[in-house]
Amino acid sequence: MRYFVSRVMFFVLTLWAAVTLNFIIPRLQPGDPAQSMVARLAGQNEAIDPATIRAVRLMLGLPNGSVFSQYGDYLVAVLHGDFGVSYTYFPYTVTHMIGQALPWTIVLVGVTHVLGFVIGTLLGAAAAWKRNGPFDTVVSLGSTFLGTLPFFWIALILIYLLAFTLRWFPESGGYSGEIEPSLSLAFLGDAAYHSALPALSLLITAPIGWILGMRNNMVHTLGEDYTRLAEAKGLPTRRVALAYSARVAILPNVTGFAMGLGTILGGTVLVEMIFGYPGMGKLMFDAIANRDYPLMQTIFLFTTIGVLLANLAADILYGVLDPRVRRETQA
């Protein structure tokens, strides 16, 4: 019990530190969002009236006063779920913009992340169990080769072959402009059709880390005394592989999977920019490019909370799967 309580307390402390850093870091960046917005609207060669900048600052609700008062106001706003108005997409609120982009990222990155973990873990375990054989050679060498290929190169090759040459899939966008976004089967099918290429580009490289990590971990656990004892007792091969070797070997992968699952809320900037996908990655890129502090802060905060929650879940699951962790904490 002490192990789980310590994990929760560590989560709360880390969350407070993350919220504080999330407030400080954007304010260390140079530039004025209001001035950038006025310059973008007026043009590069046009003179900028200081009164216009002051009016835009008031319209956007940019923070005034000391840093400490801004920090207090920020904490109160976060507790109430009020993240302000987006400077880039004014007059829409930050919550509205994230609500529009988050489902796209969760579906695309979440599904591919889970599939990549399952496929990679199973292939890695099978390669370790049949180590030094043809299957192990093909899986290991194939994963190593694919891991050397730049992701953007794979994405561009898929666009050229499957979108421009064969015209099997659209080259960009999340859905067709002729279909109104809704929960209808027509829209969901169209959205799945548009997400096929981004998902395929992610799935080509997503299992690689899980394959190599699971294989190496399981090769190590196969040489442990408890695995040899299980084999000497005459237990079925499948039970030895899954219940004794793979159960321990998968623990590092579980931690990595949980942390990767938490980063889903931040999206995948490169994927979404290449394919013009309307997710959190593109939203983050626009926020950084336009010094949109409220939108930047909220996306970073959501990503951080997602990683911390996923890490907490991994710690708890780690303690459930491996009793030695709980005993070390109680000792």
Side-chain angles (χ1 to χ4, degrees), residues 8 28-30 37 55 113 116 120 125 159 166 176 221 247-248 260 265 296 312 317:
V8 173
L28 297 178
Q29 296 183 358
M37 178 178 289
H113 185 69
I159 292 175
L166 299 176
S176 301
T221 58
R247 179 181 177 181
V248 179
L265 297 180
M296 264 194 297
L312 176 63
L317 185 59

Side-chain angles (χ1 to χ4, degrees), residues 82-152:
D82 181 13
F83 300 103
V85 178
S86 171
Y87 303 165
T88 307
Y89 299 96
F90 182 86
Y92 292 109
T93 63
V94 170
T95 306
H96 173 80
M97 296 308 304
I98 291 179
Q100 294 290 318
L102 188 58
W104 295 95
T105 295
I106 290 178
V107 172
L108 174 64
V109 186
V111 171
T112 53
H113 185 69
V114 173
L115 287 177
F117 173 77
V118 173
I119 295 172
T121 301
L122 292 177
L123 287 177
W129 188 253
K130 301 178 180 179
R131 58 192 180 281
N132 300 325
F135 181 80
D136 179 29
T137 302
V138 171
V139 171
S140 300
L141 292 181
S143 300
T144 304
F145 171 74
L146 288 177
T148 61
L149 300 179
F151 169 79
F152 66 88

Side-chain angles (χ1 to χ4, degrees), residues 57-317:
R57 288 181 62 87
L58 293 174
M59 178 183 66
L60 294 176
L62 291 175
N64 296 312
S66 66
V67 175
F68 297 102
S69 64
Q70 293 179 30
Y71 178 65
D73 295 338
Y74 173 71
L75 290 180
V76 173
V78 168
L79 291 176
H80 288 84
D82 181 13
F83 300 103
V85 178
S86 171
Y87 303 165
T88 307
Y89 299 96
F90 182 86
Y92 292 109
T93 63
V94 170
T95 306
H96 173 80
M97 296 308 304
I98 291 179
Q100 294 290 318
L102 188 58
W104 295 95
T105 295
I106 290 178
V107 172
L108 174 64
V109 186
V111 171
T112 53
H113 185 69
V114 173
L115 287 177
F117 173 77
V118 173
I119 295 172
T121 301
L122 292 177
L123 287 177
W129 188 253
K130 301 178 180 179
R131 58 192 180 281
N132 300 325
F135 181 80
D136 179 29
T137 302
V138 171
V139 171
S140 300
L141 292 181
S143 300
T144 304
F145 171 74
L146 288 177
T148 61
L149 300 179
F151 169 79
F152 66 88
W153 184 82
I154 296 176
L156 293 176
I157 290 295
L158 290 177
I159 292 175
Y160 175 76
L161 292 177
L162 302 181
F164 287 103
T165 303
L166 299 176
R167 297 188 180 277
W168 289 353
F169 300 100
E171 66 275 8
S172 64
Y175 60 94
S176 301
E178 297 82 9
I179 300 179
E180 192 70 21
S182 63
L183 294 178
S184 64
L185 293 178
F187 174 76
L188 294 177
D190 184 69
Y193 177 60
H194 278 75
S195 64
L197 274 186
L200 180 59
S201 63
L202 287 174
L203 280 176
I204 289 177
T205 56
I208 295 175
W210 308 124
I211 291 174
L212 299 178
M214 186 64 184
R215 181 194 178 279
N216 295 335
N217 295 335
M218 191 163 173
V219 167
H220 176 73
T221 58
L222 286 172
E224 295 290 344
D225 293 338
Y226 56 84
T227 305
R228 295 179 179 178
L229 178 60
E231 293 177 341
K233 291 170 62 177
L235 295 178
T237 302
R238 183 176 180 182
R239 183 178 178 184
V240 174
L242 297 179
Y244 286 82
S245 182
R247 179 181 177 181
V248 179
I250 200 176
L251 292 177
N253 272 21
V254 169
T255 303
F257 171 75
M259 295 184 67
L261 199 62
T263 60
I264 287 176
L265 297 180
T268 306
V269 177
L270 189 59
V271 176
E272 297 179 8
M273 293 304 298
I274 290 177
F275 291 97
Y277 197 77
M280 294 289 289
K282 184 177 183 300
L283 200 64
M284 182 186 294
F285 179 85
D286 293 340
I288 295 174
N290 295 288
R291 297 187 179 92
D292 192 341
Y293 292 155
L295 189 55
M296 264 194 297
Q297 283 181 307
T298 308
I299 294 176
F300 291 153
L301 180 62
F302 277 31
T303 304
T304 303
I305 292 176
V307 172
L308 291 177
L309 287 174
N311 202 17
L312 176 63
D315 286 339
I316 294 175
L317 185 59

